[in-house]
Structure formats: structure tokens, C-alpha cells
Amino acid sequence: MTSPTLDSQIRGRLAEAGVRYTNGRQQVVAALVAADGPRSAAELHEQIAGAVPLSSLYRSLAVMADADVLAPHHGTKGVTRYELAEWLAGHHHHLVCVDCGTVDDIELPSRLEATLHDLVDAVADSGDFAAAGHALEVVGRCKACA
Amino acid sequence: MTSPTLDSQIRGRLAEAGVRYTNGRQQVVAALVAADGPRSAAELHEQIAGAVPLSSLYRSLAVMADADVLAPHHGTKGVTRYELAEWLAGHHHHLVCVDCGTVDDIELPSRLEATLHDLVDAVADSGDFAAAGHALEVVGRCKACA
DNA sequence: TTCCTTGCAAACGATTTGCATTGGA
DNA sequence: TCCAATGCAAATCGTTTGCAAGGAA
């Protein structure tokens, strides 16, 4: 499922970080690529039918996040979900359903994204805080829960 | 520390919800009012010098969040932080430090807030998602960690 | 008296870690 | 050959809950 180019970008990045792109890790990445939003260790574990035990899964997620191949997301209570890092998945935002906790990716029209970017710059300038990025979460009810 | 009017708003809201505004809960609220951002159960427990045991603290936080006096925030790994609900604290956003995990409140200039609001409306309109609100997290490094 | 709240201890769920084994470059 | 990765079981951490005692209306 994972495109050859995406796969080699990831392999390259992991090699730079001195870690291997093993079979199990490829399965995890494939599952994340197939998903349309961040996924937790438990969700991935189920999605790959237990092919990788939870402890290894957690370790792989941590290693790949360290290598900047994955990015953690803390949207809903208690669980950490992971997604492909921005440089692989593209910059985007999230729709978080207040009822079921589902998180979906959204991409803003570039005009709106530019506006948002300016907005964050304006905020960062006005205080002693070095802004490195921003995350916009649109909170509401998804189609299924509406 | 908690202003009389704020305190009576909270007492009133809790009464409507059929729960009491006990001494321990007042201490928790006072600690949150004194804070300049969301706080976790452990942080509050320390701030009030263990005056309320953790289990009661967790229960009070849950009760007050149910009554819409507090709002939960899931910004950093594993922990839930609480802050006063929007109708008490005013609408605001957060600066999240990627190093130390500290969360600070920021208020956007009303012109920028209006822009952001329009932006979220535009996003919501374009999909099957009923937007109920938005949260902008500016990610970066705080003064101490820069 | 009635119901909410408190405290302690035990239970839980998500995540992490020690250790011996396996696997890849 | 050497170091990273794996799997299992045990440990940890934040949080929740059962239960008996205390407190306010």
C-alpha cells in the first residue's frame, strides 16, 4: 500500500537515524498510510491483526517518532495517536469529534492556511515564545455522531 | 483569590447540577484561577499542598467538568489538564512548549480571533462536520526552554 | 434522614522496561 | 560479528472505583 517513493524516503530517514526499517515497522507505516487520521497503538495493533505485539509496537512508534518519521498526537483522553510526520504527509489539521473521539485529517485551502500562518506569526511576535508550528483542531460532531 | 462574583457563578452552576461547592473544590478552583494555564491533577495536588487527596481531586475535577465549570485539555502525553470553562475564563488559546510541556493561555486580538472564527466556519461548511468550536495550539519553545 | 462527598486501598488501562533471544547489514 | 530489534512478562504511571465513614441540607 505504501508507495515506493514514500517508502524509500522513510527508509532513508530511518537509516540516517541509525535504525532499521524492519518488516514489522513497514506494516505499521502501511497501516498509518491507509488511515485517514492519527491512530493509537491499540488501533494499529488491531489493524495489522496482531502481527506485531504491543510492546514492540510501542517501541517502534517511539523510535520512528524520534527519527521524525512519525508525529504523536494527543487529542483525546489517555491515548496517544501517531501519524506520518508533516514532511511526509503534508501540513494539515484535525477534526476532532467530541462524541466518539475520532480524529480526521483536513487540509485548509491555501489561502486560509496562509491567513492562519500570519495569525500565528503575529501572536508569536507579541510574546517571548518561539513559535515552531501550529495546530488547529476543529471540534464538533462527525457525520456519524451528528 | 477567587473573586466573589466568579465564586458565586460557579456555586450557582454547581447547584444547578445538583452538586456541592465544598471546601476542597473551592481550593481546587482557586488554584486553577491562580494558574495561567491548564493544570493536571498532580500539579493541583502539589499546588494545594496535598490538602485534597488525589482520588478526591480526580473526582472533583470530573464532577466540575460534567457541570461545565471546568474544561479538560489533552495537550501533552498521558496527562489531562483542566482549566476554567470558557464562559468563566473567556475564549482563549494555548501556547504549548515542545520541551517542557508547559501550557500557557493566550488571548488573540479580537480582529485575529474573528478571522480565525471565519476560517473555521469556512472549513466546517465544506464538509459533513458540525463544528462546535475550535482550539488553536501554538507550538514552540517557551522563554525558559529557548 | 437523605444524598453528596471524602479517603483509603485496590483495580485498571495505557505505556514502558528488563532480559534473554533473534535477525540483519 | 555486532548492534538493533523482538517477545514475553513484570513494572510503572495516570486515573478510576468499591466501600465504609463523614457532612451538609
Side-chain angles (χ1 to χ4, degrees):
Chain A
M1 313 298 95
T2 313
S3 83
T5 76
L6 179 61
D7 227 59
S8 61
Q9 287 183 98
I10 293 175
R11 167 169 278 111
R13 185 70 202 76
L14 289 178
E16 283 172 35
V19 301
R20 296 173 192 156
Y21 195 29
T22 60
N23 225 295
R25 291 177 185 175
Q26 291 176 43
Q27 289 187 64
V28 171
V29 167
L32 281 176
V33 171
D36 46 313
R39 292 290 179 268
S40 68
E43 289 162 348
L44 291 168
H45 183 252
E46 181 180 28
Q47 193 172 335
I48 60 179
V52 176
L54 271 175
S55 65
S56 302
L57 224 175
Y58 276 112
R59 267 192 277 236
S60 289
L61 291 173
V63 162
M64 292 195 281
D66 268 3
D68 195 37
V69 163
L70 301 184
H73 178 264
H74 309 286
T76 43
K77 90 163 303 190
V79 298
T80 302
R81 283 167 220 268
Y82 290 84
E83 58 187 345
L84 289 185
E86 277 205 354
W87 68 279
L88 291 166
H91 179 66
H92 62 270
H93 295 283
H94 294 131
L95 293 171
V96 181
C97 178
V98 291
D99 279 354
C100 64
T102 297
V103 182
D104 272 316
D105 291 347
I106 50 170
E107 214 167 312
L108 298 188
S110 58
R111 209 180 53 72
L112 295 183
E113 186 63 61
T115 302
L116 180 57
H117 196 277
D118 290 349
L119 198 154
V120 170
D121 278 352
V123 171
D125 283 353
S126 65
D128 25 39
F129 192 89
H134 65 265
L136 175 65
E137 312 259 300
V138 179
V139 180
R141 245 167 280 274
C142 70
K143 190 166 41 174
C145 292
Chain B
M1 310 296 95
T2 314
S3 81
T5 77
L6 179 60
D7 227 60
S8 62
Q9 286 182 99
I10 293 175
R11 167 169 278 110
R13 185 70 202 74
L14 290 178
E16 281 173 36
V19 300
R20 298 173 191 155
Y21 195 29
T22 59
N23 225 295
R25 291 177 186 176
Q26 291 177 43
Q27 290 188 63
V28 171
V29 167
L32 281 176
V33 170
D36 46 313
R39 292 290 179 268
S40 68
E43 289 162 348
L44 291 169
H45 183 250
E46 182 179 28
Q47 193 173 335
I48 60 180
V52 177
L54 270 175
S55 65
S56 302
L57 223 175
Y58 276 111
R59 267 193 276 235
S60 288
L61 291 172
V63 162
M64 293 194 281
D66 268 4
D68 195 37
V69 162
L70 301 184
H73 177 265
H74 309 287
T76 44
K77 88 163 303 190
V79 299
T80 302
R81 284 167 218 267
Y82 290 85
E83 58 187 345
L84 289 186
E86 277 206 353
W87 69 279
L88 291 166
H91 179 67
H92 62 269
H93 295 284
H94 294 131
L95 293 171
V96 181
C97 178
V98 291
D99 279 354
C100 64
T102 298
V103 182
D104 272 317
D105 291 347
I106 49 171
E107 214 166 312
L108 298 188
S110 58
R111 209 180 52 73
L112 295 183
E113 186 63 60
T115 302
L116 180 57
H117 197 277
D118 290 349
L119 197 153
V120 170
D121 277 353
V123 171
D125 282 353
S126 65
D128 25 39
F129 192 89
H134 64 264
L136 175 65
E137 312 258 301
V138 178
V139 179
R141 245 167 279 275
C142 71
K143 189 166 41 174
C145 293

